[in-house]
Amino acid sequence: SNKNANTGMLLIHSPGMNLHLKMAVNPDSTVFVHPDQPYHFASIGKTVTSVLISILYEKGLLDFDHFIADYLDDAVLDGLHIYKGIDYSNEIRIRHLLNHTSGLPDPYTDKNRQKISLMHRMVAEPDTFWTPLKTIEWGKQQLRPKFAPGKGFHYSDSNYELLGLIIEKVTGMKFHQALHHFIFEPLEMDQTCLLFHSRAKTKSNYPMVDLYHKGLNLSKAKSISMSYAAGGIVSTSEDMLKFHKAIVEGRIISKDTYEKMCDFAKMGPSIRYGYGMMHFRFMMMPRKYNIWGNSGSIGAFMYYNPAMDVYIIGSFHKMGYQVQPIFYIFNILRKINKNKQG
């Protein structure tokens, strides 16, 4: 069997068109596939983390403008953000973490002087377990901040690991307990957990989707523990649809709070990054193709198209596959639009 033939997952859902299409494919016919298999959502976990922060904001437990120094231990804050000889650690606000404007480096992809990033180490040392404190510390020791807080955009997993620690401080719960309590349980996301830290309420009848990279099955590697609050969620297409719909329909957070989460930083020519979510406006294309949601480094995607009321959720299970899903989604929307008019 072809060890590097990864499974593709797809769910297309539109309440307005009464459409619910689900599939799982693998080019290797000997590999078991089922559209209800649990799989890794990688950075889409950032949307879950940002929604949890927003729930705590609604409960009056924190504010987006608060300084992170009010919530974090000195050991975490010490030397966290030193840029051009000035210590900005006490000037980072929660919102800077949420939309990647803190200036903190990204341990996962930014390389140190030896040209090593944690992504390298994840693949090279599959049996190493990482805690958020360990990944944050690695970033402090090995990398340098990019700019003073609020002065630019730089995508960093450290921002979200810090948000995880803030959630623990504010709720008095472990991060995974807070996820289950505030999000998974109320939305009946019974097939969802935080990998290595919690279990899904209902055990799946199907195995977790494998993720092969350079011959290594990363989905079974201890080293992917480095994702935690920046992307450690294992779920199903159906569960993540419940989550995304709850945001769109104003059931998990209010529409008003959602508007606050649309505090955008410019990520790229067509991409704006709010609090744990990306908004795409396709250049040269009608507004009706705009989508918002999130993507993961392994080709996972979760997007909503408001104009046609369509949710598109799934994964290609390919490392470094961030851009391709967007074109794929765009083509799906074009087909749907053609069918609607036809």
Side-chain angles (χ1 to χ4, degrees):
S1 76
N2 175 6
K3 274 293 186 214
N4 284 307
N6 284 325
T7 299
M9 306 292 281
L10 177 65
L11 169 65
I12 305 173
H13 175 85
S14 173
M17 285 178 265
N18 203 13
L19 176 69
H20 194 80
L21 180 71
K22 247 195 313 191
M23 59 186 93
V25 290
N26 191 306
D28 183 342
S29 59
T30 65
V31 176
F32 172 87
V33 293
H34 193 284
D36 290 325
Q37 277 178 273
Y39 56 98
H40 294 276
F41 275 82
S43 281
I44 297 169
K46 291 184 175 71
T47 316
V48 183
T49 299
S50 68
V51 165
L52 183 40
I53 286 278
S54 299
I55 290 169
L56 301 177
Y57 157 77
E58 287 190 349
K59 293 187 179 300
L61 295 169
L62 54 76
D63 197 276
F64 300 130
D65 255 340
H66 285 172
F67 291 110
I68 69 170
D70 298 340
Y71 301 92
L72 297 172
D73 297 339
D74 291 345
V76 176
L77 278 170
D78 187 37
L80 181 64
H81 192 315
I82 297 167
Y83 178 67
K84 294 187 173 173
I86 301 168
D87 193 335
Y88 291 99
S89 309
N90 290 321
E91 292 177 36
I92 305 170
R93 298 175 190 268
I94 290 176
R95 63 180 161 84
H96 293 141
L97 301 180
L98 287 160
N99 66 6
H100 299 292
T101 55
S102 69
L104 288 173
D106 181 24
Y108 190 61
T109 55
D110 292 348
K111 297 180 174 100
N112 68 5
R113 285 191 175 154
Q114 288 76 44
K115 299 276 183 280
I116 297 290
S117 71
L118 287 191
M119 198 166 152
H120 289 108
R121 293 193 60 182
M122 181 173 82
V123 177
E125 306 163 33
D127 296 328
T128 302
F129 188 85
W130 292 81
T131 64
L133 291 173
K134 210 165 134 182
T135 58
I136 292 162
E137 195 55 38
W138 193 87
K140 264 195 234 181
Q141 303 296 332
Q142 302 287 328
L143 306 168
R144 289 182 177 174
K146 305 286 179 184
F147 47 80
K151 299 291 183 216
F153 176 90
H154 184 69
Y155 191 94
S156 171
D157 275 18
S158 281
N159 290 326
Y160 275 76
E161 301 304 7
L162 292 164
L163 287 168
L165 298 177
I166 290 170
I167 287 164
E168 293 189 334
K169 188 66 107 203
V170 165
T171 60
M173 299 178 187
K174 292 263 183 253
F175 177 63
H176 66 267
Q177 293 171 324
L179 286 174
H180 284 268
H181 178 79
F182 290 105
I183 298 177
F184 305 160
E185 282 165 23
L187 297 181
E188 292 178 7
M189 294 167 68
D190 295 343
Q191 299 277 291
T192 307
C193 68
L194 184 68
L195 191 68
F196 301 112
H197 297 276
S198 73
R199 287 204 183 125
K201 188 179 176 185
T202 310
K203 190 174 162 23
S204 178
N205 296 323
Y206 312 106
M208 184 164 69
V209 178
D210 288 326
L211 171 64
Y212 287 101
H213 178 64
K214 296 179 178 170
L216 173 73
N217 185 359
L218 272 181
S219 71
K220 304 274 196 288
K222 253 191 204 163
S223 59
I224 59 171
S225 53
M226 62 174 65
S227 290
Y228 204 61
I233 284 174
V234 170
S235 186
T236 61
S237 300
E238 293 281 9
D239 265 12
M240 291 308 276
L241 174 63
K242 287 178 181 176
F243 173 67
H244 206 167
K245 276 183 87 167
I247 304 172
V248 170
E249 294 168 8
R251 285 184 287 111
I252 188 82
I253 47 166
S254 72
K255 296 267 161 91
D256 193 47
T257 302
Y258 171 78
E259 291 300 322
K260 287 197 168 58
M261 292 174 77
C262 294
D263 169 13
F264 294 120
K266 194 176 152 90
M267 186 176 184
S270 324
I271 322 170
R272 297 177 304 159
Y273 199 103
Y275 295 169
M277 57 184 176
M278 298 186 204
H279 283 232
F280 281 84
R281 285 181 175 162
F282 296 105
M283 302 306 238
M284 319 300 290
M285 277 299 167
R287 266 239 159 106
K288 69 179 168 209
Y289 292 109
N290 289 358
I291 55 171
W292 69 267
N294 216 336
S295 302
S297 59
I298 53 166
F301 50 89
M302 177 187 83
Y303 284 94
Y304 176 64
N305 169 255
M308 293 179 258
D309 190 25
V310 181
Y311 297 85
I312 302 173
I313 296 168
S315 181
F316 286 99
H317 287 101
K318 269 195 162 81
M319 287 291 279
Y321 231 62
Q322 277 108 318
V323 181
Q324 294 87 342
I326 302 303
F327 294 108
Y328 180 68
I329 288 165
F330 175 59
N331 286 324
I332 291 173
L333 291 172
R334 272 211 310 220
K335 283 192 182 107
I336 289 173
N337 185 50
K338 222 168 122 181
N339 286 346
K340 272 181 84 173
Q341 289 169 342

